[in-house]
Amino acid sequence: MWTLIVHAPDRDPKPYVLKDGKTSIGRASANDIVVEDTAASRHHAEIHFNQAEKVISLLDLDSTNGTYVNHQRAYGACPLKANDVIRIGQVTFDLVLPGEDHDAKKGATGTHLFTRELLLESLDQHAVLLYDVSRKLNFATSLGMVIDELTSTIKHSMGVQSCEIIMKNQFTQMDEAGKDAVAVRAVRKRSAEVVPLEMYVPVLSGDDVLALLHLKKERQGTRPFSQNDLRIAIAVSHQASLTIQRLNLLEKVRKEEQLRQLFTRFVSPSEVKLLLSHYLDTGELPPLHEEKVTVMFADIADSTGMGEKMGVKNFAWVLNKFYSDSADIIFSYNGMLKYLGDGVLAIFVHTPGEPAPELRAIKSGRELLARVKTTGHLVLDQRIIMGISINSGVAMVGYVGTRERAEFNALGDVVNVAYKMQEYARPNRIVIGPATVAAIVDQYHTQRIGEVALRGREGHMQVYEVLP
């Protein structure tokens, strides 16, 4: 029996057994085969079947948008043969002769390598299906949406009862020696593997397997997968590959933007590119590591009292302005930044082509003090009083936390000493330790404060003030 397998978007394939004589096709309900597509005319085409002579032909009834046979527009009467594909709008008809058709007898059982020719043939023969698939997948914004759309499309277009999409991160769970041996072979060989009622088709991006389509027919008496079924699956897998690559790219861009925003909180814009490159290459943020640094603490004196006098809203404005000024100045000297409630910690390391870290730290401190004095930050007659302390030495610097939540930090005695020196830095002074003085002695005038005791620290140390 000659049969038309009707494929319409979002519907299961439907067989129609041709009767002897004329079969009408069109949008009107009076037709033998109703085509619910805006491209179809009310009375679009006819198929004439002479059962005695086993001759079949198609006649286009001067339709507006045409009838296509094997991608060629049909004019007048057009003879048909087994495996021809007829298209009206987005609806396609496969003409098959079960029991006699060579393709149906042979089926698609076996291994099918993804050659360029096989892919092009699959895309060419199922362009309408791909148009519908791509239209749906273009709106997919998550992998879950992609899987749902692909599963639905494959079930409808191929008439399978089971469709599973195995993602790359699930390949390690497949059993090489057991029931998943065929799936493992499909991934390793990058080939479509077909047994009579089961098919594995890889989703490829070059030589990389992004996912694996697992299709299965479960109804009794169902015909095996045909060569046409294989071509449909390959065409869909190609579209799936493009969509997954698009989502992966969008996710990469999203992560890069998140990291960029994260880094710009701590480092100057010129350093962001280097840190981002390090993360993209290694998948990790730079861990804590030992490095010679110059650290600078800058804080607001008596912030608690200011908050009580000014009120929360006004003090929040002052604090935000202080943070903004600090970030602008410290980043301009390629320093790294950590916020500390009512103050900031800046870290300066050796940077090729830049002045010494000690010089950059002092310049940052002087500019910050100058900006505070110039603007006054006057709110309710309250002037900010600051203190800046700078120390140089070896510390552990880097990022701590997780990929989703990370924080820049600096640890070590050099940091603790700089923090405790702040009590000698008010009002609006810059005090520095001995190692910092040694590096800037020819650049700035300093004045020795003398030996001082630091809270929680045994012994005394020399502290110096950078003069205006």
Side-chain angles (χ1 to χ4, degrees), residues 60-79:
D60 180 80
L61 301 177
D62 294 326
S63 62
T64 302
N65 295 301
T67 306
Y68 292 80
V69 178
N70 301 328
H71 312 296
Q72 299 294 323
R73 185 163 183 171
Y75 294 96
C78 174

Side-chain angles (χ1 to χ4, degrees), residues 248 251-263 266-267 271-287 399-407:
N248 288 343
E251 179 65 13
K252 180 181 178 182
V253 171
R254 186 185 67 82
K255 285 185 176 180
E256 285 187 17
E257 184 56 32
Q258 285 182 335
L259 289 169
R260 194 181 302 278
Q261 292 177 1
L262 172 69
F263 291 148
F266 310 126
V267 300
E271 292 291 315
V272 170
K273 187 175 181 180
L274 294 176
L275 283 173
L276 194 58
S277 175
H278 180 279
Y279 180 85
L280 295 177
D281 288 341
T282 66
E284 302 290 341
L285 292 171
Y399 294 83
V400 294
T402 65
R403 291 188 180 186
E404 291 75 22
R405 187 178 181 84
E407 186 177 46

Side-chain angles (χ1 to χ4, degrees), residues 60-110:
D60 180 80
L61 301 177
D62 294 326
S63 62
T64 302
N65 295 301
T67 306
Y68 292 80
V69 178
N70 301 328
H71 312 296
Q72 299 294 323
R73 185 163 183 171
Y75 294 96
C78 174
L80 298 175
K81 62 183 182 302
N83 299 322
D84 279 349
V85 179
I86 304 165
R87 179 177 69 81
I88 297 174
Q90 292 190 65
V91 180
T92 59
F93 308 80
D94 296 333
L95 182 61
V96 298
L97 181 57
E100 295 183 16
D101 169 30
H102 176 69
D103 184 53
K105 281 183 178 181
K106 180 182 177 182
T109 300

Side-chain angles (χ1 to χ4, degrees), residues 375-390:
T375 62
H377 286 310
L378 292 176
V379 180
L380 301 181
D381 299 324
Q382 178 70 55
R383 181 182 295 275
I384 283 183
I385 296 176
M386 286 181 54
I388 293 178
S389 57
I390 300 172

Side-chain angles (χ1 to χ4, degrees), residues 2-20:
W2 287 91
T3 304
L4 283 177
I5 308 298
V6 184
H7 298 271
D10 300 325
R11 295 190 179 184
D12 292 337
K14 185 177 180 180
Y16 181 88
V17 178
L18 292 178
K19 61 185 180 181
D20 191 24

Side-chain angles (χ1 to χ4, degrees), residues 137-276:
L137 293 183
N138 279 341
F139 293 98
T141 56
S142 69
L143 191 57
M145 292 178 65
V146 172
I147 291 175
D148 289 343
E149 288 290 355
L150 287 175
T151 300
S152 175
T153 298
I154 290 172
K155 284 183 175 179
H156 286 312
S157 61
M158 297 182 63
V160 298
Q161 289 72 55
S162 174
C163 175
E164 178 187 12
I165 300 178
I166 306 169
M167 299 307 298
K168 184 176 182 178
N169 59 3
Q170 299 172 298
F171 290 170
T172 56
Q173 302 170 16
M174 295 190 302
D175 182 6
E176 297 187 24
K179 63 179 182 179
D180 295 328
V182 178
V184 173
R185 186 164 66 246
V187 172
R188 285 184 173 176
K189 290 187 174 183
R190 298 173 180 79
S191 60
E193 299 290 334
V194 187
V195 295
L197 298 177
E198 204 165 353
M199 181 188 300
Y200 290 92
V201 179
V203 177
L204 298 177
S205 172
D207 291 332
D208 189 21
V209 182
L210 304 177
L212 191 64
L213 307 181
H214 178 207
L215 319 179
K216 192 174 182 180
K217 294 187 176 184
E218 298 174 338
R219 291 175 184 164
Q220 292 185 349
T222 303
R223 68 182 180 88
F225 282 114
S226 67
Q227 294 287 340
N228 191 54
D229 291 329
L230 174 64
R231 288 189 286 266
I232 290 176
I234 291 174
V236 171
S237 77
H238 177 72
Q239 190 62 48
S241 171
L242 297 178
T243 303
I244 292 173
Q245 290 180 70
R246 175 175 63 83
L247 288 179
N248 288 343
L249 179 60
L250 289 175
E251 179 65 13
K252 180 181 178 182
V253 171
R254 186 185 67 82
K255 285 185 176 180
E256 285 187 17
E257 184 56 32
Q258 285 182 335
L259 289 169
R260 194 181 302 278
Q261 292 177 1
L262 172 69
F263 291 148
T264 52
R265 293 173 54 201
F266 310 126
V267 300
S268 62
S270 62
E271 292 291 315
V272 170
K273 187 175 181 180
L274 294 176
L275 283 173
L276 194 58

Side-chain angles (χ1 to χ4, degrees), residues 356-377:
E358 296 86 353
L359 292 175
R360 284 155 40 216
I362 291 177
K363 288 181 178 179
S364 296
R366 288 167 68 94
E367 284 194 23
L368 187 55
L369 281 178
R371 187 171 300 188
V372 170
K373 289 179 180 178
T374 300
T375 62
H377 286 310

